[in-house]
C-alpha cells in the first residue's frame, strides 16, 4: 500500500554542528534500513529546498505513522501524507 | 533526472461517454509507452480524487514539457511539476 | 484502518429534479450498505454546507478508492482524504 | 450534538522531557474521562503529524469551549472546530 | 447558543429578473420571521459585496442546519459557520 | 455604523501569570466600558480558539482605530476588520 | 473617511461588443461624477490586470455600499474593501 | 509613475521603548520628506492593524526600491508592491 | 526598467481550432516584435502548464500596461506582474 | 536548461553586522562566479522586499540543487524553483 510523503525539515538555529551531524547520521541509518526492507520505495530531494518526497510501501496507516514518527529527525520535520491507490494504467 | 508531477483531470460535463472512452484508451497507450521507455518511473492514483502522481525520469525540462503536453488528455488536465534532485540517503 | 473523508457535492445547475432525486436515492442505498458492512463508521453533515464528513474503516487504500469512486454521486463530488492512525489515548 | 475538532499541538523547544511527560499524563487522564462520559465519541491521530481529529458530542457550544480550553495541553494547541448536523443517510 | 454565519450569494447569469425578484421576496419573508422569532439576532451586509454576516441564536446544530438550508436563496448561497461561545467579558 | 472585528490574541510564552492577569483585568474594564457606551454591540468567543468576534458601532473609521489600538491587550492581538452596511432585510 | 477598494471585473464571454461598450460608457459617467463630487479621491488601473484600486472618501459605510453597488458594471465586479484610518505621519 | 505599497511592521518583542521611539521619530522625518518631495502621494493606516497603505509616485522601480529600503523602520517591515497604470476614467 | 510577468492562458472550450490558430499566429508576430524592440528580454514556458514567464524591459508602468493589454491573446490571459529592481550583485 | 528561482532571505535578528557583511561578501563572490560561468543568466531584486528572482541555466536538477545549496546565504534563504521549457515564440 503506497503513500506519498512530503517532508520538510529545519534544525533549530542554536543547535550545534556536532548535534546536527549526529542526527543526520542516525537518519541515514534509519532511512537505509527502510529502503532495504522495502518500506521506502523511493526518496528524492526537492531542488533548492530543505524538503524531500518519498514513496512508502507499508501494510497499514498505523505502520506508516510508526515509521514516520520514528524518524530520528522527526522532531524537526513537518510531514504531509497522501494516500495512494493503484493506477489502472500502471504496469508495475 | 527526476520530476514529481501532480496531474488533476476533469472532462467537460457535456462530453459523451464514447468520446471520453476514446480519450482514455489513447491515454492508456501513451502512458504504457512512457513506462516501457523508462520515462515514467511510477504512477499512482490519489485516493478518492481525479488526480494522480507520477515520477518522471527524462533528460531535460524541454523533453518533460513535450511529454506532458503530448498526453492525450492534456487539454483536460492541470499539472504541477516539482524538480527533484538525488537524495544523499537514497540507495538507488 | 481509519480515514477521514470530507466530501463536497454540487449538482449541475441544469440537472432536473427527477434525475437528482434518482441520484440521491441510489446514494442512500449505497451509503446504508457501507454503514451496515462496517466500512463507514460514521457520517455527518457540515452545518449549512453541501458537504459531509465521514470516518471510513477499510483494509486498504485501494479498497477506499474503490468505495469512494463507486459512490453514485461521485461525478458531482470533491473528496479529500486524511489517513488516520490509532491514537494512544483512544479507549476503543 | 456533534462537532469535529482538528487539534494540532507543539511543545516549546525548551520544555524539559519531564514537564512534557507530566502534561501528557494529565492529558491522557482528561481525555479518558471525556471518552468514558460520552463527550468524546472518537479520537484519531493524523498519520505523521502532531495533530489529531476527534468527534465530540456535547449539549452546547459553551460546553464544548469549556472542554477544549480545559485540555491540559490546550496552551500548546491550535484547534479548529466544525459544527456537524445529523446526516439524513446516517443509520445511527 | 450563538453562531456567526457568513453567507455569499450569486444568482445564475441566465436567471430572469422576475424569478430573482420572487426569490428575494421569499427570502425577505423568511428572514423577517427568523428575526421576529429570535433565531436571527442580527444581520448585516458586507460593504460592496454580495455577502452578509448574521448572528444566529438557536438550540442546536441540527436546528441551525435546518434554518440555513431552508433559506429560499440557499441554492445560490455559499455559507460558512463559526460556533460561538459566551465571552466572559460580555455584559449581555 | 457597524464593523465586524475578528481578534486573535496570544501572550508571549515567557510572560508571567501575574502580568497576564493584570492585562486581562484592564481588558475587562476597557471592554465593559465599550459595551456600556454602546460602541461594542456584542462580543463572542470563538469555540476552542484564542479568538473572538465583536460587532462595533462607532461614528468613523478613525474612532474604530482609536478604540482597537487602545485595547490593553492590543500588542498581543491580530485584528481583521470588515466594514458592514445596513441589510435591507434587517428589522432593527 | 477613507476606504481602499480593489475592484476586479470580468464581462461574460457571450456579451456583445455593443453591450460592453454601453456598460463602459455608463461606468465612465458614473465614475467621473464620483471624482467631481470628491467621493472618489483617486483611481488607478493594476498593470496587466482587469482590476483597479481606488481611494474613496465618504461619510459612512452605508454610503460606500450605495456607491459601490450603484456602479453600472457592479454585476460583473468582485470588490474587496479596506477601512482606512488617518495615519499620524500623513501631512494632508 | 504610481505604485501601491502595503506595509506591515512589527517591532521585536524585546526592543526597548526608547529605541522604538527613536525609530518612529526617524520614520516620521523620512516620511514627511517623501510627502513634501511628492514621492509619497498619500498614506493611510489600516484600521486596527500594524499596517499602512501608501501611493508612491516615483520615476522608476529602482528609485522606489531605494526609497522603501531606506525607510528607517524597513528592517521591521514586510512590504508588498503593486505597479499601477493610469486609469482611463481618472480625471487627474 | 524590468518586470517579471507570469501569464496563464486558457482558450474557451467552444472556440474552434481555426480561430485559436489565428490568435496564436497574431500572438507570435506581436511577441516577436516585442523581442526585436528589446521590450521583451526573455520568454519561457512553464513546464507542463499553459503558462509562461517573461522579463520585460520598458520605460514605465503605463507602457507595460499598454503592451500587456495589447497582447492578441490578452482576453484569455491572467497576468500577474512583479516590479523588479537592479540587484547589486548583477553583473549586467 | 532554464529554471526560475525566487529566493527570499532573512538574517537572524541577533546576528552581528560584521557577520552579516561577511556572508554578503561571500555571496557576492559566489554569485559573480555563477554569472561569469553562465550558470546564472540574470538576477533581479524584488522591489521593496528581501527577495530576488534569478534565471539559472544548468545541465541538470542535481547541478541546480548543488548550486543553490552552495549559496553562502543558503541557511537564511527560502527558495522556490520553477522548471522552464523553451517557448516556441522565443527568438533566442
Amino acid at each position: 500500500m503506497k503513500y506519498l510523503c512530503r517532508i520538510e525539515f529545519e534544525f533549530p538555529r542554536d543547535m550545534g554542528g556536532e548535534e546536527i551531524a549526529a542526527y543526520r547520521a542516525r537518519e541515514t541509518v534509519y532511512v537505509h534500513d527502510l529502503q532495504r526492507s522495502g518500506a521506502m520505495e523511493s526518496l528524492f530531494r526537492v531542488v533548492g529546498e530543505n524538503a524531500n518526497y518519498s514513496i512508502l510501501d507499508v501494510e497499514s496507516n498505523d505502520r506508516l505513522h510508526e515509521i514516520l514518527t520514528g524518524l530520528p529527525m522527526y522532531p524537526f520535520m513537518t510531514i504531509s501524507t497522501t494516500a495512494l491507490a493503484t493506477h489502472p494504467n500502471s504496469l508495475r
Side-chain angles (χ1 to χ4, degrees), chain A residues 4 6 8-9 12 18 35 43 65-67 77:
Chain A
L4 175 69
R6 178 184 166 94
E8 304 175 6
F9 59 93
E18 280 190 36
Q35 290 174 83
L43 171 66
H65 186 64
E66 186 182 31
I67 285 174
M77 289 173 160

Side-chain angles (χ1 to χ4, degrees), chain A residues 18-66:
Chain A
E18 280 190 36
E19 194 174 357
I20 289 179
Y23 271 112
R24 287 193 183 281
R26 290 171 53 212
E27 186 79 11
T28 297
V29 171
Y30 188 93
V31 166
H32 281 183
D33 286 351
L34 285 179
Q35 290 174 83
R36 288 196 189 98
S37 72
M40 182 177 280
E41 178 179 307
S42 55
L43 171 66
F44 305 101
R45 187 76 183 266
V46 179
V47 169
E49 301 186 30
N50 286 342
N52 60 64
Y53 275 104
S54 55
I55 308 285
L56 285 111
D57 184 357
V58 296
E59 70 272 18
S60 70
N61 291 347
D62 277 345
R63 178 64 186 130
L64 180 60
H65 186 64
E66 186 182 31

